[in-house]
Amino acid sequence: MVGLTEANLRALAGARSFERGLGYLDAVSGVEVGDAWVTATVHGTERYEVELALNGPGGVAGECDCPYGLEGNFCKHLVALGLTVLARRESLPRQRKAARDRAQDLDAWLSDLSREELLALVRDQIAEDRQLRRRLELRVASARGDLAGVRTRVRELLDIGPFAQYGYVEYADARAYSDQAGQAVSAIRALTGSGRAADAMILAREAMRLLAEAVESVDDSDGWLGHVAAALVEAHHAACRSARPDPEELARWLVGHVLGDMDDLTGIDPLDYADVLGDRGMTVLRNLAVEAWRGNRTGWAEKYLMERLAKAGGDVEAVIAVHAADLAPDGRTHLVIARELDAAGRPDQGLRWAERGIRDVRDPAAVDTALVDHLCDRYAQADRLADAVALRRDHFDALRTLLTYRQLRAAARAADCWPAEREGALALLRADAGRRLESGRGDSVLVDALLDDKDVDAAWRAATETGAHERQWLTLADQTRADRPSDALGVYLRLAESLTQQTGDAVYGRLVSLLLSIGECHHRLGTSDEFTAYITALRTAQRRKRNLMRLMDEHGL
């Protein structure tokens, strides 16, 4: 049991998964100990099969068929099993010896059986285990070179029929279907291993099509079929490496696949096949990609393929051409181009594309914020502070939000011109606040901006003159009650009155917080008797709200 310690489990899993694993100790069942492994079932969101390898070449390792474990992570279920094993460490040596003895006894017994007895044993297992029968049938078909037989079995394995109700595989059955589909991948790999790589390549392509059709009718919320698809792609690639198909034919198939509907499932990257395609195949691939893109410059798949090939070839001009052919109206594509040029060591051109992005946007309020940020950063780096301020001013003028106000303030302070810019920005916000007052809206960016500037007196005046949201009034009261307790008290009382008409624990929590602030104001004003009378009247009026009464009691109200 070298290497299996609590510290090592924590190191393998990480602190978060280790802590979560502590909560699954009671969910471990069916622990089975082998000579170098321990298996169990852990009941989490689903029923997961877990295996710990003890004393392996790299120390302790584990596998779990939960989604997180299938990604190669040492999950919380493995932690739970590891801790369960550690809790039984005293009996583990005896159990491992017993497992070795059983394995030796079984091997000796099998060795003593005659050929007829072994055949009878296998036939019995085949009759009882349908999955074993299917796997062996596939091996037979592969060994005999029966491509038609293997194809038939692969189609059966990918058929959702046995798992579907009303033509759809529900979440509860998706795992079982994916396990069966995985057997098709194993069969294709076996074909390659038996020297029939060309057949494996053909079957892998057909299996991708069948799986893509099947996934439309499966609730694959946990992504099991995604793992099967990834394994299928690996099997196809391995078959291609062995079969060495015609590079031009492979290039055509790859482009057709990427531009078709199946790619959403398999996610094949044609560049992964460069070792099989060679120079001739890659040339054909590029030509086909260019042809497809020219035929549909706005197609997502066409753009993705062209961009991948262009980047792989270091062709910045081609990358730019792909994006420039379909510029987004908000300028975000201009930003992509600008960043590509920056990365290629061409910052001046990148700057021009970013500036063009700002000019090309018809509606200033719709411009991509990341483009504005990028361009302002570039201006700051070039010591073009006035340009950064102008851009921030235009952005603020278009949106009139607290964020754009803050950004304008930061740029203007860097350029040492904030007082003048602030006056203009506040004039715009005052005009907005006046219109909001006329329309009956109480929220005001003006109040938030003044509060953010720490100009509480101006914020109070603005709230009084043009209105404010309850959140803003509360902030104002909190920030002024030490110096202006009478004004703050009026705000707290008004907000509290509104809450007394509502119910719910969250409301009660807010109300009690207000009551404590009201009490502080009365204390500062020297009117504690008035607060006592207020609380007494409130308790009488609200006595039926038991949770509120309890909460007030807890706070001494």
Side-chain angles (χ1 to χ4, degrees):
M1 202 170 58
V2 177
L4 181 58
T5 65
E6 186 171 317
N8 284 347
L9 289 174
R10 183 183 291 273
L12 285 167
R16 184 169 182 268
S17 288
F18 182 85
E19 294 301 325
R20 295 181 69 185
L22 294 174
Y24 280 80
L25 296 179
D26 293 336
V28 179
S29 64
V31 177
E32 184 177 351
V33 179
D35 181 22
W37 49 263
V38 180
T39 63
T41 297
V42 180
H43 296 270
T45 307
E46 295 289 325
R47 180 177 179 271
Y48 299 119
E49 300 300 324
V50 187
E51 179 175 332
L52 271 178
L54 307 175
N55 305 338
V60 176
E63 294 182 0
C64 177
D65 59 4
C66 73
Y68 188 63
L70 287 174
E71 294 176 358
N73 300 298
F74 200 92
C75 66
K76 60 190 177 185
H77 309 112
L78 285 166
V79 170
L81 176 56
L83 293 174
T84 299
V85 172
L86 285 173
R88 306 175 183 179
R89 59 166 60 90
E90 294 182 357
S91 63
L92 195 61
R94 174 178 53 78
Q95 291 178 289
R96 294 178 68 181
K97 181 180 183 304
R100 286 195 297 272
D101 292 342
R102 290 194 302 272
Q104 292 171 359
D105 291 345
L106 179 60
D107 186 65
W109 179 72
L110 289 172
S111 298
D112 289 340
L113 293 179
S114 65
R115 179 177 181 276
E116 290 73 17
E117 289 172 325
L118 280 172
L119 284 174
L121 179 62
V122 172
R123 289 187 183 110
D124 287 343
Q125 291 301 309
I126 290 174
E128 296 176 3
D129 189 337
R130 182 175 62 178
Q131 299 297 334
L132 174 61
R133 173 176 58 78
R134 288 177 171 176
R135 289 196 295 271
L136 292 179
E137 286 173 348
L138 275 172
R139 290 194 179 188
V140 171
S142 298
R144 290 180 176 175
D146 180 8
L147 181 59
V150 177
R151 175 178 282 112
T152 298
R153 292 295 300 117
V154 167
R155 287 175 175 172
E156 291 175 354
L157 290 169
L158 295 174
D159 179 18
I160 66 169
F163 302 90
Q165 296 183 18
Y166 309 108
Y168 189 79
V169 180
E170 301 290 345
Y171 174 79
D173 299 313
R175 174 65 187 282
Y177 171 71
S178 67
D179 287 344
Q180 178 174 294
Q183 294 176 31
V185 181
S186 299
I188 292 168
R189 286 174 174 158
L191 274 178
T192 299
S194 64
R196 301 180 62 84
D199 292 339
M201 184 182 69
I202 294 171
L203 274 182
R205 295 181 184 180
E206 184 175 343
M208 289 181 199
R209 178 180 58 79
L210 293 172
L211 191 63
E213 293 172 357
V215 76
E216 298 296 325
S217 301
V218 180
D219 182 354
D220 190 36
S221 300
D222 286 338
W224 300 112
L225 292 185
H227 293 293
V228 175
L232 192 52
V233 171
E234 292 175 2
H236 177 261
H237 193 185
C240 289
R241 285 198 299 266
S242 296
R244 310 305 299 186
D246 176 69
E248 182 173 344
E249 186 279 331
L250 178 59
R252 290 187 179 280
W253 181 85
L254 287 168
V255 171
H257 183 91
V258 170
L259 300 183
D261 296 334
M262 290 187 293
D263 193 53
D264 289 342
L265 176 66
T266 59
I268 283 181
D269 186 345
L271 293 178
D272 289 341
Y273 287 75
D275 57 337
V276 183
L277 289 166
D279 292 339
R280 183 164 70 94
M282 287 300 296
T283 299
V284 173
L285 184 70
R286 291 189 185 94
N287 291 338
L288 291 171
V290 171
E291 181 182 348
W293 173 67
R294 286 176 176 168
N296 184 16
R297 292 177 186 263
T298 61
W300 184 90
E302 288 81 0
K303 288 167 59 178
Y304 166 78
L305 181 56
M306 270 295 294
E307 185 181 359
R308 288 285 295 123
L309 290 169
K311 283 187 176 182
D315 190 347
V316 178
E317 295 302 330
V319 174
I320 294 172
V322 170
H323 292 295
D326 186 26
L327 293 172
D330 62 357
R332 54 190 168 86
T333 319
H334 298 75
L335 175 58
V336 172
I337 294 174
R339 286 172 171 166
E340 290 288 347
L341 288 165
D342 285 349
R346 296 157 61 179
D348 291 342
Q349 289 177 273
L351 179 60
R352 286 195 291 273
W353 265 101
E355 290 175 327
R356 175 183 164 182
I358 297 295
R359 292 194 305 271
D360 286 353
V361 176
R362 295 181 180 179
D363 179 5
V367 68
D368 183 52
T369 301
L371 174 60
V372 176
D373 293 342
H374 172 84
L375 192 50
C376 284
D377 287 343
R378 291 297 312 277
Y379 283 153
Q381 293 167 12
D383 201 29
R384 294 173 57 180
L385 301 183
D387 289 333
V389 171
L391 182 55
R392 289 298 188 191
R393 183 192 308 126
D394 291 343
H395 197 214
F396 168 76
D397 189 24
L399 297 181
R400 315 272 181 93
T401 65
L402 178 60
L403 175 60
T404 55
Y405 180 84
R406 287 170 171 169
Q407 291 169 331
L408 173 59
R409 182 177 62 198
R413 282 177 173 170
D416 199 24
C417 61
W418 176 230
E421 289 295 333
R422 181 175 188 258
E423 184 176 347
L426 291 178
L428 290 175
L429 293 180
R430 286 192 183 94
D432 287 347
R435 286 190 290 270
R436 284 188 172 87
L437 181 62
E438 292 175 2
S439 64
R441 293 178 58 187
D443 57 317
S444 170
V445 178
L446 174 62
V447 173
D448 282 334
L450 291 169
L451 283 170
D452 206 61
D453 283 339
K454 310 301 181 187
D455 194 347
V456 179
D457 288 341
W460 188 281
R461 287 195 300 273
T464 302
E465 294 169 0
T466 61
H469 188 272
E470 287 186 358
R471 167 188 57 81
Q472 296 170 322
W473 276 118
L474 181 59
T475 302
L476 284 166
D478 288 343
Q479 293 190 16
T480 59
R481 70 181 175 214
D483 300 322
R484 300 161 58 179
S486 180
D487 291 338
L489 177 60
V491 173
Y492 290 137
L493 288 171
R494 185 174 71 251
L495 296 178
E497 177 62 25
S498 175
L499 292 181
T500 59
Q501 310 303 315
Q502 304 173 43
T503 59
D505 289 344
V507 170
Y508 301 153
R510 290 160 53 198
L511 177 55
V512 167
S513 178
L514 286 172
L515 294 177
L516 293 172
S517 297
I518 290 170
E520 183 179 339
C521 290
H522 275 294
H523 176 73
R524 291 181 179 277
L525 292 168
T527 54
S528 298
D529 290 345
E530 290 184 20
F531 178 63
T532 301
Y534 172 78
I535 291 295
T536 301
L538 180 68
R539 292 185 70 99
T540 300
Q542 304 289 319
R543 62 184 180 278
R544 294 183 182 277
K545 298 176 180 177
R546 289 177 292 181
N547 285 354
L548 174 59
M549 295 298 102
R550 176 184 53 76
L551 197 58
M552 291 178 67
D553 289 340
E554 290 177 359
H555 288 82
L557 294 170

